[in-house]
Amino acid sequence: MNVIFESISKSFGNKIIFENLTGNISSGDRIGILGANGIGKTTLARILAGLESQDSGDLIFSPENIKVLYIEQYPEFDEKITVYDELYKHALRGSTPERADWITRECFKKVDLDRKLWNQRAMTLSGGEKTKLVLCRAMVCKYDILILDEPTNHLDMESCEKLEEFLAKLDKTLLVISHDRYFLDNIVTKIWEFSRTGIKTYEGNYSEYKYQKDIETKNQMKEYNKQQREIRHLKQMITERKSWYKSAHNAAGQNDFYRSKSKKQAGVIKAKQKQLERLEASKIERPQKELSPAFDIINKNIIGQKFPPVLVQVQDLSKRFGERQIFENVSTSIMRQDKVAILGKNGTGKTTFLRILRGLDKAYEGKVNINPSVKTGYFAQELDNLKEGNTVLDEALSVGGTQEEVRALLACLLFKGDDVFKKIELLSMGEKCRMAFAKLILSGANLLILDEPTNYMDILSREKIEQVLEDFQGSIIFVSHDRYLVSRIANKVLEIENLKLKYYNGGYEYYLEKKQKAQAKSKVSQNIEDEIRRLELELAYLGGRLDLTLDEEEKNYLNEKFLATARMLNEYKQML
């Protein structure tokens, strides 16, 4: 099986999305597609799936009947169709109604889609629930190539892991558009780097791509510096020889010998100029230089300040929405220089917990004490604190800081050169997130409360945010589904589960290790409990038999067996 696209181009109106794009997909490929927001990744996916057509170029399927299933980032549903009917109609193709019903129910169980939602209209689902529903299509539909567009958006970490398990077992060709680096590391074996110049292929997962990219950048810088030295040397040589030629030509007067020598120099100069032209025609681009992390600006209001050991104390906190309990009697503390990730399934109250800490939700029971020396800064998913009419620079300056400091931080967050004069209203969602984050840092907050700070951002933007958070010397409490971010930033983890807060005194890897051990222990405990129930039933059966009138030999045998089973039951109970 092969899919080849050659020199394809696509525009919407006057806007060129991409031009002369070339690539191929082979059977068994597991490709991760990377690229800046707006580069055309989704458009390419829709062309490959037959949902859009290219303006020019060739798209060749071999064989011609290859089936492509595209799972979109923002799914749309018929206005009145229920969750159950949406999947059932796909499961019914080539199946009996009874089997389609069974398949539909099993899929919902696999993705942990609450049974209460099955008869709800699909269009009313939350973002995460819609994602789970459309991912079920990949479990029931027939296809040769599966294309997933940002499949982990809106999914909690447990759902991401379940999706990874499904895809790891999937024996199909796979294309994934994703900014989730953890997900890409676990799923893909090839990377397409999508840029304005086309698609470049790298073998391996995201981390292997990153390693290759770093080596490439270093080598490119060496070649760039070498070429620049050659260009400078040639320019200097040409200038010197031109000067010599001019003076020699004037001094030669009518002397034929000296005039002949100066003409030879003119030939050398011409040859060197052609050599310079060839070098400049094949000029090596300077690799993008890593921007300064602006460490001093980030920590301007923190370095040199004394903060108490305990910044936030939460005691016996309970919260409910109507009849629905979110958490109950939870207590915790946030310490100086803690960088705490709040984890948990969607709907467990992570955002609510942050809003309570920020003082935006006061309808709770219990106590939340924040030390007076603490200045909190809050990053919300809604981005409602940006003034649309302002430029990026004016919006940042409105918070504080000198123009030099502000521009240094904005450059660190990828607002370079004339980008700072863009109007807020013209920014993409990812750019608005970076803008809001810049304001947060400039606000002088020493405790950052962040709700999904890297949503809507491409990988480069995420890495810049991570760099700033890593250098930030204050404390951070954050909610994120970006496992790469959690792994890099968190030094503590709080998990909301079963209405309680569970504390892990370590980073994300420590949390995973402890969870795996607890799950393994739980499985062993479950096996022991199952064995205890079996032995109790056997004892009840043996006791009933002993109560019957039996001959002496059988009675002795049953009695011995009863005592042995009782001893074994006691041993299992001591294990718990």
Side-chain angles (χ1 to χ4, degrees), residues 549-565:
T549 305
L550 303 168
D551 62 49
E552 198 62 30
E553 185 179 347
E554 187 175 2
K555 194 170 186 177
N556 287 337
Y557 166 75
L558 289 173
N559 196 47
E560 286 177 12
K561 193 170 182 182
F562 182 91
L563 292 172
T565 302

mmCIF file of all heavy atoms in Angstrom, residues 549-565:
data_model
loop_
_atom_site.group_PDB
_atom_site.id
_atom_site.type_symbol
_atom_site.label_atom_id
_atom_site.label_comp_id
_atom_site.label_asym_id
_atom_site.label_seq_id
_atom_site.Cartn_x
_atom_site.Cartn_y
_atom_site.Cartn_z
ATOM 1 N N THR A 549 -25.714 -36.909 57.805
ATOM 2 C CA THR A 549 -25.332 -38.216 58.363
ATOM 3 C C THR A 549 -24.407 -38.899 57.367
ATOM 4 O O THR A 549 -24.775 -39.167 56.215
ATOM 5 C CB THR A 549 -26.573 -39.083 58.590
ATOM 6 O OG1 THR A 549 -27.484 -38.364 59.413
ATOM 7 C CG2 THR A 549 -26.194 -40.394 59.254
ATOM 8 N N LEU A 550 -23.145 -39.146 57.791
ATOM 9 C CA LEU A 550 -22.137 -39.732 56.903
ATOM 10 C C LEU A 550 -21.483 -40.915 57.589
ATOM 11 O O LEU A 550 -21.498 -41.037 58.823
ATOM 12 C CB LEU A 550 -21.062 -38.689 56.562
ATOM 13 C CG LEU A 550 -21.557 -37.384 55.906
ATOM 14 C CD1 LEU A 550 -20.442 -36.359 55.918
ATOM 15 C CD2 LEU A 550 -22.011 -37.654 54.478
ATOM 16 N N ASP A 551 -20.844 -41.753 56.790
ATOM 17 C CA ASP A 551 -20.064 -42.826 57.435
ATOM 18 C C ASP A 551 -18.798 -42.216 58.015
ATOM 19 O O ASP A 551 -18.386 -41.108 57.653
ATOM 20 C CB ASP A 551 -19.757 -43.961 56.450
ATOM 21 C CG ASP A 551 -18.918 -43.497 55.273
ATOM 22 O OD1 ASP A 551 -17.890 -42.829 55.497
ATOM 23 O OD2 ASP A 551 -19.294 -43.774 54.111
ATOM 24 N N GLU A 552 -18.147 -42.906 58.893
ATOM 25 C CA GLU A 552 -17.011 -42.389 59.664
ATOM 26 C C GLU A 552 -15.837 -41.985 58.778
ATOM 27 O O GLU A 552 -15.188 -40.963 59.009
ATOM 28 C CB GLU A 552 -16.571 -43.455 60.691
ATOM 29 C CG GLU A 552 -15.719 -42.906 61.828
ATOM 30 C CD GLU A 552 -16.459 -41.871 62.673
ATOM 31 O OE1 GLU A 552 -17.697 -41.955 62.800
ATOM 32 O OE2 GLU A 552 -15.796 -40.959 63.171
ATOM 33 N N GLU A 553 -15.562 -42.808 57.773
ATOM 34 C CA GLU A 553 -14.408 -42.545 56.900
ATOM 35 C C GLU A 553 -14.589 -41.223 56.136
ATOM 36 O O GLU A 553 -13.679 -40.392 56.084
ATOM 37 C CB GLU A 553 -14.252 -43.700 55.903
ATOM 38 C CG GLU A 553 -13.003 -43.555 55.053
ATOM 39 C CD GLU A 553 -12.843 -44.722 54.081
ATOM 40 O OE1 GLU A 553 -13.559 -45.741 54.238
ATOM 41 O OE2 GLU A 553 -12.018 -44.590 53.165
ATOM 42 N N GLU A 554 -15.768 -41.011 55.563
ATOM 43 C CA GLU A 554 -16.016 -39.784 54.802
ATOM 44 C C GLU A 554 -16.037 -38.572 55.734
ATOM 45 O O GLU A 554 -15.551 -37.491 55.378
ATOM 46 C CB GLU A 554 -17.345 -39.875 54.049
ATOM 47 C CG GLU A 554 -17.563 -38.694 53.105
ATOM 48 C CD GLU A 554 -18.827 -38.842 52.265
ATOM 49 O OE1 GLU A 554 -19.557 -39.839 52.439
ATOM 50 O OE2 GLU A 554 -19.057 -37.932 51.438
ATOM 51 N N LYS A 555 -16.559 -38.779 56.954
ATOM 52 C CA LYS A 555 -16.616 -37.685 57.915
ATOM 53 C C LYS A 555 -15.211 -37.217 58.290
ATOM 54 O O LYS A 555 -14.933 -36.010 58.380
ATOM 55 C CB LYS A 555 -17.390 -38.137 59.159
ATOM 56 C CG LYS A 555 -17.787 -36.991 60.070
ATOM 57 C CD LYS A 555 -18.756 -37.469 61.137
ATOM 58 C CE LYS A 555 -19.259 -36.292 61.954
ATOM 59 N NZ LYS A 555 -20.259 -36.690 62.953
ATOM 60 N N ASN A 556 -14.292 -38.169 58.515
ATOM 61 C CA ASN A 556 -12.900 -37.831 58.848
ATOM 62 C C ASN A 556 -12.235 -37.075 57.688
ATOM 63 O O ASN A 556 -11.504 -36.105 57.899
ATOM 64 C CB ASN A 556 -12.106 -39.104 59.162
ATOM 65 C CG ASN A 556 -12.511 -39.679 60.512
ATOM 66 O OD1 ASN A 556 -13.037 -38.959 61.372
ATOM 67 N ND2 ASN A 556 -12.293 -40.968 60.702
ATOM 68 N N TYR A 557 -12.503 -37.548 56.462
ATOM 69 C CA TYR A 557 -11.915 -36.911 55.274
ATOM 70 C C TYR A 557 -12.403 -35.452 55.149
ATOM 71 O O TYR A 557 -11.605 -34.529 54.950
ATOM 72 C CB TYR A 557 -12.295 -37.702 54.021
ATOM 73 C CG TYR A 557 -12.017 -36.953 52.736
ATOM 74 C CD1 TYR A 557 -10.713 -36.804 52.258
ATOM 75 C CD2 TYR A 557 -13.065 -36.360 52.014
ATOM 76 C CE1 TYR A 557 -10.474 -36.089 51.092
ATOM 77 C CE2 TYR A 557 -12.829 -35.655 50.854
ATOM 78 C CZ TYR A 557 -11.520 -35.517 50.386
ATOM 79 O OH TYR A 557 -11.284 -34.814 49.247
ATOM 80 N N LEU A 558 -13.724 -35.259 55.299
ATOM 81 C CA LEU A 558 -14.299 -33.904 55.182
ATOM 82 C C LEU A 558 -13.833 -33.004 56.316
ATOM 83 O O LEU A 558 -13.602 -31.797 56.118
ATOM 84 C CB LEU A 558 -15.827 -33.980 55.170
ATOM 85 C CG LEU A 558 -16.452 -34.564 53.899
ATOM 86 C CD1 LEU A 558 -17.951 -34.752 54.082
ATOM 87 C CD2 LEU A 558 -16.192 -33.643 52.697
ATOM 88 N N ASN A 559 -13.670 -33.581 57.487
ATOM 89 C CA ASN A 559 -13.213 -32.812 58.648
ATOM 90 C C ASN A 559 -11.789 -32.294 58.428
ATOM 91 O O ASN A 559 -11.469 -31.139 58.716
ATOM 92 C CB ASN A 559 -13.293 -33.671 59.914
ATOM 93 C CG ASN A 559 -13.199 -32.809 61.165
ATOM 94 O OD1 ASN A 559 -13.877 -31.795 61.273
ATOM 95 N ND2 ASN A 559 -12.330 -33.197 62.082
ATOM 96 N N GLU A 560 -10.910 -33.178 57.922
ATOM 97 C CA GLU A 560 -9.524 -32.773 57.617
ATOM 98 C C GLU A 560 -9.497 -31.680 56.541
ATOM 99 O O GLU A 560 -8.740 -30.713 56.643
ATOM 100 C CB GLU A 560 -8.716 -33.992 57.155
ATOM 101 C CG GLU A 560 -8.364 -34.946 58.283
ATOM 102 C CD GLU A 560 -7.630 -36.180 57.763
ATOM 103 O OE1 GLU A 560 -7.204 -36.161 56.575
ATOM 104 O OE2 GLU A 560 -7.484 -37.150 58.529
ATOM 105 N N LYS A 561 -10.338 -31.865 55.544
ATOM 106 C CA LYS A 561 -10.387 -30.874 54.462
ATOM 107 C C LYS A 561 -10.924 -29.534 54.976
ATOM 108 O O LYS A 561 -10.453 -28.455 54.581
ATOM 109 C CB LYS A 561 -11.271 -31.395 53.325
ATOM 110 C CG LYS A 561 -11.125 -30.580 52.046
ATOM 111 C CD LYS A 561 -11.805 -31.228 50.872
ATOM 112 C CE LYS A 561 -11.567 -30.383 49.617
ATOM 113 N NZ LYS A 561 -12.248 -30.946 48.433
ATOM 114 N N PHE A 562 -11.910 -29.586 55.879
ATOM 115 C CA PHE A 562 -12.478 -28.367 56.460
ATOM 116 C C PHE A 562 -11.406 -27.601 57.235
ATOM 117 O O PHE A 562 -11.266 -26.376 57.092
ATOM 118 C CB PHE A 562 -13.643 -28.745 57.396
ATOM 119 C CG PHE A 562 -14.332 -27.564 58.006
ATOM 120 C CD1 PHE A 562 -15.433 -26.986 57.386
ATOM 121 C CD2 PHE A 562 -13.879 -27.001 59.204
ATOM 122 C CE1 PHE A 562 -16.071 -25.889 57.942
ATOM 123 C CE2 PHE A 562 -14.505 -25.902 59.765
ATOM 124 C CZ PHE A 562 -15.615 -25.343 59.124
ATOM 125 N N LEU A 563 -10.611 -28.312 58.068
ATOM 126 C CA LEU A 563 -9.561 -27.673 58.868
ATOM 127 C C LEU A 563 -8.466 -27.082 57.974
ATOM 128 O O LEU A 563 -7.972 -25.980 58.232
ATOM 129 C CB LEU A 563 -8.965 -28.694 59.848
ATOM 130 C CG LEU A 563 -9.907 -29.161 60.968
ATOM 131 C CD1 LEU A 563 -9.291 -30.302 61.758
ATOM 132 C CD2 LEU A 563 -10.243 -27.991 61.903
ATOM 133 N N ALA A 564 -8.093 -27.816 56.914
ATOM 134 C CA ALA A 564 -7.055 -27.331 55.988
ATOM 135 C C ALA A 564 -7.529 -26.068 55.260
ATOM 136 O O ALA A 564 -6.774 -25.100 55.103
ATOM 137 C CB ALA A 564 -6.695 -28.426 54.979
ATOM 138 N N THR A 565 -8.790 -26.080 54.848
ATOM 139 C CA THR A 565 -9.361 -24.907 54.153
ATOM 140 C C THR A 565 -9.448 -23.725 55.098
ATOM 141 O O THR A 565 -9.161 -22.579 54.711
ATOM 142 C CB THR A 565 -10.756 -25.251 53.606
ATOM 143 O OG1 THR A 565 -10.649 -26.376 52.731
ATOM 144 C CG2 THR A 565 -11.336 -24.074 52.824
#
